[in-house]
Amino acid sequence: MGIDSEPVVVLSGVAKGYRLDAVDVPVLRGIDLLIRPAQFTVILGPSGSGKTTLLNLIGCIDRPDQGQVMVAGRDVGPLSDDELADFRARNIGFIFQNFNLLPVLSAYENVEFPMLLAGLSARTRAKRVTKLLAAVGLDDRARNLPGQLSGGQRQRVAIARALALRPRLVIADEPTANLDSRTGAEILSLMRHMQKRYGISFLFSSHDRAVIGAADDTIKLLDGEIRGIRRLAPTEVATDSVLPVEDDQ
């Protein structure tokens, strides 16, 4: 997967609200935002600032009331619900605070599951799962159920699963919140390694100082509006430092 120079996400004039009984509650107002490719981007803001709503819009889980949302170069507004679900599955990976692994499936099967839904061949699935589990250091735990894994190991499985369909964007909602500081640092380092290896954009919502400190871009959200954006100089990633993705079709 090459590194694209085009933004992975562009929001233009986005607004979103909800109706609570007879009251309209605005959540996001006039959001204009660009997410750079192959970077760590962190969204900061207190509870009620609109972070979850913003992530849901970018993740194609919800739709805006106004404005345009473009993800991976595609205006997702005109897509039907089925088209949007298919686009989300193929272009966006998700990592959750509580891991969200299927408890009755092994680590191998959890990583394989998105590929099954996408209709990938058995040969492709086997090669890709094996490579991903090796990449996150769990090739010796492939047959373990989530209940037989530590919190850090479960999050490693979740990272491998998020990368199963080679997305352009991975959304990570408080990915280190349920981990101790040492394990959280290891998971953060792993995500940075995978981001550089595959040229993927990571978008975080986090209060973890380590995650915030590792960010290339930081977006401050307050009362449904962007109040500040800090961008570091573009990360220099030499083409030979991004490992090519072998054809496993």
Side-chain angles (χ1 to χ4, degrees), residues 60 63 78-88:
C60 300
R63 298 177 184 268
L79 299 181
S80 68
D81 288 346
D82 287 344
E83 290 171 335
L84 191 65
D86 183 68
F87 177 86
R88 178 175 63 243

Side-chain angles (χ1 to χ4, degrees), residues 121-179:
S121 70
R123 176 178 176 274
T124 297
R125 297 197 309 269
K127 291 187 70 175
R128 197 175 292 184
V129 173
T130 299
K131 289 178 183 178
L132 284 169
L133 286 176
V136 300
L138 287 180
D139 42 340
D140 61 338
R141 298 283 185 172
R143 299 303 171 187
N144 287 69
L145 296 173
Q148 299 169 317
L149 301 173
S150 68
Q153 289 170 334
R154 293 183 198 185
Q155 199 61 297
R156 287 173 180 266
V157 175
I159 292 169
R161 181 186 59 187
L163 301 178
L165 295 180
R166 297 176 176 169
R168 291 280 308 281
L169 172 68
V170 170
I171 295 177
D173 188 7
E174 297 284 359
T176 61
N178 285 344
L179 305 174

Side-chain angles (χ1 to χ4, degrees), residues 7-222:
V8 71
V9 174
V10 179
L11 274 61
S12 304
V14 166
K16 179 68 179 179
Y18 297 99
R19 190 165 184 82
L20 182 62
D21 296 327
V23 179
D24 290 323
V25 180
V27 180
L28 296 175
R29 307 175 183 87
I31 299 293
D32 295 310
L33 179 61
L34 179 152
I35 303 294
R36 296 192 294 169
Q39 303 289 306
F40 265 24
T41 300
V42 177
I43 299 176
L44 302 176
S47 296
S49 62
K51 297 192 305 297
T52 298
T53 300
L54 182 58
L55 288 181
N56 286 344
L57 294 177
I58 294 173
C60 300
I61 295 171
D62 205 350
R63 298 177 184 268
D65 297 329
Q66 298 176 16
Q68 183 185 58
V69 177
M70 294 192 67
V71 180
R74 182 77 178 270
D75 180 0
V76 300
L79 299 181
S80 68
D81 288 346
D82 287 344
E83 290 171 335
L84 191 65
D86 183 68
F87 177 86
R88 178 175 63 243
R90 294 183 179 276
N91 291 276
I92 306 171
F94 293 89
I95 301 171
F96 302 95
Q97 176 178 338
N98 294 317
F99 320 127
N100 283 18
L101 300 178
L102 296 173
V104 297
L105 299 184
S106 67
Y108 184 103
E109 291 165 335
N110 266 282
V111 178
E112 182 186 36
F113 191 62
M115 305 182 207
L116 279 168
L117 296 180
L120 273 62
S121 70
R123 176 178 176 274
T124 297
R125 297 197 309 269
K127 291 187 70 175
R128 197 175 292 184
V129 173
T130 299
K131 289 178 183 178
L132 284 169
L133 286 176
V136 300
L138 287 180
D139 42 340
D140 61 338
R141 298 283 185 172
R143 299 303 171 187
N144 287 69
L145 296 173
Q148 299 169 317
L149 301 173
S150 68
Q153 289 170 334
R154 293 183 198 185
Q155 199 61 297
R156 287 173 180 266
V157 175
I159 292 169
R161 181 186 59 187
L163 301 178
L165 295 180
R166 297 176 176 169
R168 291 280 308 281
L169 172 68
V170 170
I171 295 177
D173 188 7
E174 297 284 359
T176 61
N178 285 344
L179 305 174
D180 61 71
S181 59
R182 179 176 178 179
T183 304
E186 292 173 352
I187 291 299
L188 181 60
S189 177
L190 175 62
M191 288 188 288
R192 177 61 92 176
H193 171 73
M194 301 302 276
Q195 174 251 316
K196 289 189 174 182
R197 177 171 181 169
Y198 295 108
I200 296 169
S201 300
F202 275 77
L203 177 62
F204 298 88
S205 172
S206 181
H207 295 92
D208 186 336
R209 291 184 178 180
V211 175
I212 297 167
D216 301 306
D217 295 350
T218 304
I219 299 161
K220 294 182 180 179
L221 197 64
L222 183 64

